[in-house]
Amino acid sequence: MQRPMSSTFASLSLSSPLQEVISEIGYASPTPIQLLSIPLLLAGKDLIAQSKTGSGKTVAFALPILQALVVDKRRLQALVVCPTRELAAQVAREIRKLGRKHKGLAVLEVVGGQPVRGQVDALQRGVHVAVGTPGRLLDHLERGTLHCETLTTVVLDEADRMLDMGFGADVESILRCLPKERQTVLFSATYPSTIESMSCRYQRNAERITIEEAEEETSALQQFYVECGKEDKLETLYWVMNKYPHESALIFCNFKASVSELQRELANAGFNVDRLDGDLEQFQRDQVLAKFRNQSLRVLIATDVAGRGIDVEDLELVVNYELPPQPNIYVHRIGRTARAGKAGVAVSLISSRERTKIQSIEAETGESVQAVQRDSASLVDVPALAREAKMQTILISGGRKDKVRPGDILGALTGEAGGLRGEDIGKIEIQARLSYVAVSRAVGKRAARGLGGGRIKGKRYRATLLR
Ligand code: ADP
Ligand code: MG
């Protein structure tokens, strides 16, 4: 493949509003996948784009979607299909962020776990971009509440993962409902043969882009395994968490039951820990993820399905408390760390029988997973290890639809009622009807009282300090 001469956003023929947003956000230059796929997508080509997790694929398809939109026509023009609700939420957030100069832009999440009614209403009013999960999208297509006649582009994000999760048939049913004349785009972290066959059936003259991992990027993530027995597994986990310092750690288990059990153990030992599994209500999942993203939660334990699509900056440690059954799941798990070239560590706790699994993982990834020995003499002092999170999250009962913006919350916190200093305020995340703001633990109560008692843009909202 021929490489473009220049590697700046300015060289990509993006509209000036998009270029402005990019520089406001602070993206200095496009990532390789963005550099190669954006021109093809702008030209309307079908595409299979493959690059590893964390390489900026969302921006790669979001910008061309936004550039092609006719905002005056409040009709569905682009559809993004994602494997999980969390990922759909992230993608929708990213599209809104990049599209903030597109006045009147309507991006709708069409995911399960939310009432259908609200989605039907929003679809009736008209949206430009829908981002959804296969089941719920299909549901709307079958009810006749999602109209795709005007659609020009469909993106299957994490296509490999959707197939792994058994969404292949649903995704194909969705594709069959779409206009024949359309752009079909597959983004994927890996390239199994199932993707190839899907491409043959649903794409036309698809271009293919594969970004090989650069040496320096792979070296940012170190992979280890530790052998241990059932009886000293928990202690080995403590040892790992002590050996590899971290602000945030994500621990994977294969089953819901092991997630709950481990959460209980760690909580009893005094860790700042929560879990993410399929049993949680949507709002609970949202809260846990918001807390993990904004550093109000240090340790998160998840199953694969629930943990999919977690996008956390500065995640230093991923632990496979249980080794996944397949190497590609391992790849997805460890893709959560060492993003954007930052250093990270992935450690797998295995039984001696699982050594062959490590070998197949090495064969699949072409990267080495080194053995580390736990020296039995080193006793780990758990209380010292189980630190509080730096931040605490306040849930505010107003969001984007109430016209609440990050600046408004910041203003309320630093203004007379709140009196907080800027450095006590962390990430602010605005969702449709609610917002999350992280504040230093030391000022959490005061900040929540200030927000709840005061006004944001002249209106009163409830402010709840999350545990
Ligand atoms: P992928 O879908 O490939 O796993 P994401 O789209 O989730 O990756 O992007 C990973 C991170 O990289 C996000 O936090 C995103 O904001 C950031 N990012 C994307 N494009 C750029 C860029 N050009 N420069 C810097 N950071 C970027
Ligand atoms: Mg992605």
Side-chain angles (χ1 to χ4, degrees):
M1 161 134 333
Q2 209 180 341
R3 300 244 157 201
M5 301 291 291
S6 163
S7 57
T8 62
F9 274 110
S11 68
L12 285 175
S13 340
L14 290 164
S15 66
S16 40
L18 288 176
Q19 302 225 27
E20 281 164 29
V21 174
I22 291 164
S23 67
E24 285 168 14
I25 294 175
Y27 295 156
S29 55
T31 65
I33 191 74
Q34 292 163 3
L35 196 60
L36 294 176
S37 48
I38 288 174
L40 294 170
L41 293 178
L42 288 176
K45 299 256 197 258
D46 281 7
L47 175 68
I48 303 178
Q50 180 203 351
S51 69
K52 67 166 185 168
T53 310
S55 55
K57 294 192 284 293
T58 320
V59 172
F61 62 77
L63 290 173
I65 285 178
L66 286 164
Q67 177 127 326
L69 279 191
V70 184
V71 185
D72 296 347
K73 295 216 171 85
R74 213 179 155 96
R75 293 169 148 195
L76 188 68
Q77 295 165 51
L79 173 66
V80 183
V81 190
C82 300
T84 65
R85 300 165 190 177
E86 281 78 23
L87 191 66
Q90 268 171 38
V91 168
R93 220 175 20 245
E94 191 104 10
I95 297 177
R96 287 189 195 107
K97 187 165 85 179
L98 293 165
R100 65 188 182 206
K101 307 243 153 146
H102 287 53
K103 223 171 153 357
L105 173 70
V107 179
L108 182 68
E109 285 161 44
V110 186
V111 298
Q114 289 179 6
V116 173
R117 190 69 245 161
Q119 295 173 359
V120 172
D121 291 346
L123 288 168
Q124 217 146 38
R125 283 194 301 275
V127 301
H128 300 102
V129 183
V131 184
T133 44
R136 184 57 68 91
L137 285 169
L138 203 53
D139 203 15
H140 280 286
L141 285 166
E142 281 163 0
R143 286 164 185 255
T145 44
L146 178 62
H147 298 279
C148 293
E149 299 81 16
T150 50
L151 177 139
T152 54
T153 300
V154 58
V155 175
L156 308 184
D157 191 18
E158 308 218 358
D160 54 344
R161 188 61 186 160
M162 285 201 280
L163 296 178
D164 283 350
M165 287 169 72
F167 287 138
D170 281 358
V171 169
E172 295 194 17
S173 304
I174 292 170
L175 290 173
R176 282 195 295 269
C177 292
L178 305 181
K180 291 266 165 331
E181 276 305 319
R182 60 154 202 263
Q183 181 181 35
T184 308
V185 182
L186 271 62
F187 272 83
S188 188
T190 59
Y191 191 76
S193 57
T194 40
I195 296 242
E196 183 93 55
S197 74
M198 184 162 219
S199 166
C200 289
R201 276 173 293 149
Y202 295 97
Q203 292 190 302
R204 273 194 248 169
N205 305 324
E207 302 265 356
R208 228 186 102 180
I209 296 174
T210 300
I211 304 293
E212 300 296 342
E213 289 174 31
E215 280 304 315
E216 48 188 341
E217 278 184 67
T218 51
S219 64
L221 174 68
Q222 294 178 288
Q223 302 172 52
F224 302 106
Y225 71 89
V226 197
E227 276 186 33
C228 60
K230 257 203 173 83
E231 59 305 328
D232 63 349
K233 201 160 187 180
L234 193 60
E235 222 176 282
T236 308
L237 175 66
Y238 293 153
W239 177 81
V240 165
M241 294 176 79
N242 192 45
K243 183 172 169 69
Y244 303 101
H246 56 277
E247 203 46 56
S248 308
L250 179 57
I251 303 177
F252 280 104
C253 297
N254 294 345
F255 307 102
K256 274 190 304 207
S258 9
V259 168
S260 316
E261 195 184 316
L262 186 57
Q263 184 202 5
R264 251 194 324 274
E265 294 280 8
L266 293 190
N268 285 341
F271 280 82
N272 178 252
V273 60
D274 212 332
R275 81 189 147 98
L276 204 60
D277 67 40
D279 280 350
L280 297 186
E281 299 286 344
Q282 185 62 28
F283 78 94
Q284 295 173 309
R285 294 155 68 101
D286 286 346
Q287 283 190 5
V288 170
L289 276 169
K291 288 195 296 182
F292 197 51
R293 274 195 294 267
N294 70 23
Q295 309 210 302
S296 300
L297 173 65
R298 299 194 72 224
V299 181
L300 179 60
I301 312 174
T303 56
D304 289 291
V305 173
R308 186 67 192 148
I310 297 176
D311 179 18
V312 181
E313 288 159 32
D314 305 323
L315 176 59
E316 296 99 347
L317 179 63
V318 172
V319 179
N320 292 311
Y321 193 68
E322 292 167 334
L323 207 56
Q326 292 151 12
N328 59 339
I329 301 181
Y330 175 91
V331 173
H332 284 297
R333 286 184 182 181
I334 66 163
R336 308 287 123 212
T337 187
R339 301 188 123 194
K342 284 188 187 141
V345 173
V347 186
S348 302
L349 307 192
I350 71 165
S351 69
S352 52
R353 287 211 321 263
E354 289 176 307
R355 234 178 286 164
T356 53
K357 280 201 198 166
I358 293 289
Q359 284 158 4
S360 32
I361 287 167
E362 290 185 313
E364 167 110 358
T365 57
E367 290 167 19
S368 85
V369 184
Q370 289 163 31
V372 279
Q373 222 73 49
R374 181 185 153 199
D375 41 292
S376 52
S378 66
L379 275 179
V380 177
D381 180 13
V382 175
L385 179 61
R387 284 192 287 125
E388 272 293 1
K390 288 194 296 209
M391 310 299 278
Q392 198 162 12
T393 300
I394 301 171
L395 170 65
I396 301 168
S397 65
R400 205 172 45 251
K401 300 223 165 115
D402 309 291
K403 306 273 187 280
V404 171
R405 289 169 180 277
D408 305 327
I409 294 177
L410 199 62
L413 283 169
T414 53
E416 264 171 57
L420 262 59
R421 295 168 311 161
E423 57 265 38
D424 281 328
I425 303 169
K427 198 174 161 107
I428 298 176
E429 209 178 297
I430 312 275
Q431 304 197 344
R433 284 285 176 202
L434 50 86
S435 308
Y436 299 104
V437 55
V439 297
S440 299
R441 205 155 269 271
V443 299
K445 282 210 181 95
R446 180 152 67 92
R449 256 200 318 271
L451 279 178
R455 290 165 188 271
I456 299 172
K457 258 192 174 164
K459 269 174 80 177
R460 277 192 186 280
Y461 295 101
R462 246 173 305 116
T464 316
L465 193 62
L466 297 183
R467 185 190 52 84

